[in-house]
């Protein structure tokens, strides 16, 4: 019994520290304004696409151009790009193993070379007017290779969309530590020099953010996380759609770094063990109520990271470790993914 309590207590201390710890961020230079091309890969009609595109282009930044990239003139997004007044091109870069998004980004970079920096903006984000300035600012630090953020999800559907909103706060927690930080492809800024000598590597990958993260790390550069640049993503998924999305995100993460699976299984298994230990031991004696501290910190962090707050988030948070564990187990067995209507085979990612 003493050994069991000691193990549970030690795990509780560890998770409490993880819940509290945040890496110190590099200071941003607000006068940093490199000439920037914002690349917006578009395919189909994302939820609120017109409002998203308007928000992306209405920035307090006078040294930026905005470019949509589509697969064909028949794509449904073309009429919206024209209505908002965004120039667009057809994706035509030649690459065999790349995804449609990687192909779109490579097409833009190849054709538009007269820029100091590039920003990838997913067409489902809805940022504020300072998003671009905040996102680009860290690039003036020579130690920074990528500048990124992570979205907050605005649930406008049923319970599944609220689960996704809480699921997303875990992604934000990964960004707050340099050990687990990655470049999120929905809002990602980098200088031309980062990728100019790595285009062959970049275009041999399915995931743009995994490839750019690997390139950044290979050059021993930092990834800056800019919380102020978090965009909104409006979500109305049902449970099958959420499950497919969460498994795809997890599969791409595992494919980029197989350690994600090992660490994830250990982390969430221990968390579940600690949670049930807290329930069991507290039912015996209230003296063990301190074992719920990691859960309390977790709920607090969800509310801190959530722009849209709801009491149900606290309840959903209790189930997130089980959902993540299920995502990891499912994603590990996935040999291919379906992304934007296309099927991609997951292949081992080599070092740049």
């Amino acid at each position: 019994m003493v050994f069991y309590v000691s193990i549970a207590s030690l795990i509780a201390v560890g998770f409490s520290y993880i819940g509290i710890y945040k890496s110190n961020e590099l200071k941003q230079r607000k006068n940093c304004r490199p000439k920037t091309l914002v690349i917006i890969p578009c395919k189909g009609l994302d939820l609120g696409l017109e409002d998203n595109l308007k928000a992306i282009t209405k920035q307090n930044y006078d040294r930026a151009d905005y470019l949509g990239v589509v697969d064909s003139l028949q794509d449904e997004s073309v009429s919206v790009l024209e209505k908002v007044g965004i120039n667009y091109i057809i994706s035509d870069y030649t690459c065999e193993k790349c995804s449609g998004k990687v192909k779109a980004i490579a097409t833009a970079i190849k054709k538009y070379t007269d820029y100091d920096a590039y920003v990838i903006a997913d067409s489902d984000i809805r940022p504020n007017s300072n998003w671009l300035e905040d996102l680009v600012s860290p690039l003036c630090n020579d130690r920074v290779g990528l500048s990124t953020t992570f979205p907050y999800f605005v649930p406008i559907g049923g319970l599944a969309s609220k689960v996704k909103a809480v699921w997303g706060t875990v992604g934000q927690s990964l960004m707050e530590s340099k050990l687990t930080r990655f470049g999120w492809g929905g809002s990602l800024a980098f200088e031309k020099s980062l990728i100019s000598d790595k285009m062959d590597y970049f275009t041999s990958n399915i995931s743009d953010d995994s490839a750019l993260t690997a390139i950044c790390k290979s050059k021993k550069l930092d990834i800056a996380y800019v919380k102020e640049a978090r965009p909104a993503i409006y979500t109305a998924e049902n449970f099958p759609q959420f499950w497919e999305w969460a498994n795809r995100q997890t599969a791409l993460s595992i494919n980029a770094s197989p350690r994600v699976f090992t660490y994830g299984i250990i982390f969430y298994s221990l968390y579940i063990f600690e949670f049930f230990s807290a329930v069991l031991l507290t039912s015996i004696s209230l003296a063990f109520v301190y074992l719920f501290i990691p859960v309390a910190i977790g709920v607090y962090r969800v509310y801190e990271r959530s722009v849209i707050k709801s009491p149900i988030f606290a309840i959903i948070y209790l189930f997130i470790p089980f959902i993540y564990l299920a995502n990891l187990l499912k994603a590990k067995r996935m040999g291919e993914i379906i992304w934007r209507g296309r099927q991609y085979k997951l292949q081992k990612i080599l070092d740049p």
Side-chain angles (χ1 to χ4, degrees):
M1 182 67 173
V2 173
F3 177 75
Y4 175 66
V5 172
S6 299
I7 292 297
S9 299
L10 185 62
I11 295 173
V13 170
F15 279 114
S16 296
Y17 175 77
I18 292 171
I20 295 171
Y21 177 78
K22 292 183 180 180
S23 296
N24 293 324
E25 295 303 317
L26 298 168
K27 292 184 178 180
Q28 299 180 44
R29 289 172 50 186
K30 289 297 184 180
N31 61 341
C32 175
R33 305 177 81 84
K35 185 180 179 183
T36 301
L37 178 66
V38 179
I39 304 169
I40 315 169
C42 295
K43 184 175 176 61
L45 296 176
D46 284 308
L47 184 63
L49 179 60
E50 182 177 341
D51 290 333
N52 299 342
L53 295 177
K54 287 179 179 178
I56 291 171
T57 55
K58 290 183 179 178
Q59 296 295 312
N60 298 324
Y61 196 91
D62 56 3
R63 301 199 68 208
D65 293 315
Y66 303 87
L67 180 71
V69 188
V70 297
D71 288 342
S72 72
L73 293 176
Q74 286 69 48
D75 193 277
E76 294 176 294
S77 63
V78 169
S79 61
V80 185
L81 287 165
E82 292 177 343
K83 183 177 181 180
V84 177
I86 298 176
N87 292 328
Y88 60 89
I89 59 173
I90 305 299
S91 178
D92 61 4
Y93 193 94
T94 302
C95 52
E96 295 181 0
K97 298 180 180 179
C98 65
S99 65
K101 185 181 178 185
V102 167
K103 182 178 180 179
I105 295 166
T107 299
I109 293 175
K110 181 181 179 181
K111 292 185 177 181
Y112 293 82
T113 59
D114 190 27
Y115 289 90
D116 302 313
Y118 297 98
V119 169
I120 303 169
D122 280 353
S123 56
D124 60 353
I125 67 169
R126 197 173 300 178
N128 62 42
S129 59
N130 293 318
W131 162 77
L132 185 56
E133 181 180 23
D134 289 336
L135 191 63
V136 169
S137 292
L139 295 182
C140 287
N141 187 319
D142 292 338
R143 292 165 50 194
V144 173
L146 292 174
S147 178
T148 192
T149 187
F150 200 81
Y152 63 93
F153 295 99
V154 181
I156 58 174
L159 181 59
S161 64
K162 294 179 176 62
V163 172
K164 185 174 181 178
V166 180
W167 198 99
T169 64
V170 181
Q172 291 182 37
S173 71
L174 296 176
M175 290 295 190
E176 291 170 359
S177 171
K178 291 181 180 179
L179 295 175
T180 54
R181 187 173 300 165
F182 59 95
W184 176 62
S187 290
L188 188 59
F190 54 93
E191 291 185 320
K192 178 168 59 177
S193 58
L194 179 77
I195 198 173
S196 58
D197 60 339
K198 298 290 185 180
M199 281 297 288
D200 288 343
Y201 173 80
F202 176 68
T203 55
S204 67
N205 284 277
I206 295 174
S207 172
D208 56 306
D209 42 17
S210 295
L212 288 168
T213 298
I215 292 171
C216 183
K217 291 182 177 180
S218 73
K219 296 188 175 186
K220 301 188 185 306
L221 295 171
D222 291 337
I223 300 175
Y225 169 56
V226 188
K227 183 178 179 180
E228 296 79 7
R230 290 183 301 167
I233 293 182
Y234 285 75
T235 174
E237 282 96 336
N238 55 35
F239 276 107
Q241 291 170 330
F242 164 74
W243 182 243
E244 187 275 333
W245 172 85
N247 288 333
R248 184 179 69 245
Q249 299 300 317
T250 308
L252 287 170
S253 297
I254 293 173
N255 189 59
S257 176
R259 291 178 296 179
V260 168
F261 176 77
T262 303
Y263 293 158
I265 290 292
I266 294 172
F267 182 91
Y268 290 110
S269 295
L270 288 175
Y271 193 96
I272 292 170
F273 169 80
E274 198 280 331
F275 175 77
F276 281 116
S277 295
V279 173
L280 174 63
L281 293 172
T282 303
S283 68
I284 297 173
S285 172
L286 290 178
F288 295 111
V289 72
Y290 68 87
L291 293 174
F292 283 108
I293 290 176
V295 176
I297 293 174
V299 171
Y300 169 75
R301 286 298 190 202
V302 166
Y303 274 85
E304 181 189 39
R305 295 171 183 134
S306 301
V307 176
I308 307 298
K309 305 180 189 299
S310 171
I312 198 174
F313 285 1
I315 299 173
I316 293 174
Y317 173 78
L318 299 179
F319 294 92
I320 289 297
F322 299 92
I323 296 173
Y324 260 85
L325 198 58
N327 291 148
L328 287 164
L329 294 172
K330 172 65 176 178
K332 180 65 174 178
R333 300 193 302 269
M334 292 172 62
E336 56 189 29
I337 61 170
I338 297 176
W339 189 8
R340 296 274 183 173
R342 293 180 179 177
Q343 186 170 305
Y344 298 101
K345 184 178 180 180
L346 295 174
Q347 298 178 346
K348 183 179 179 181
I349 296 180
L350 302 176
D351 293 331

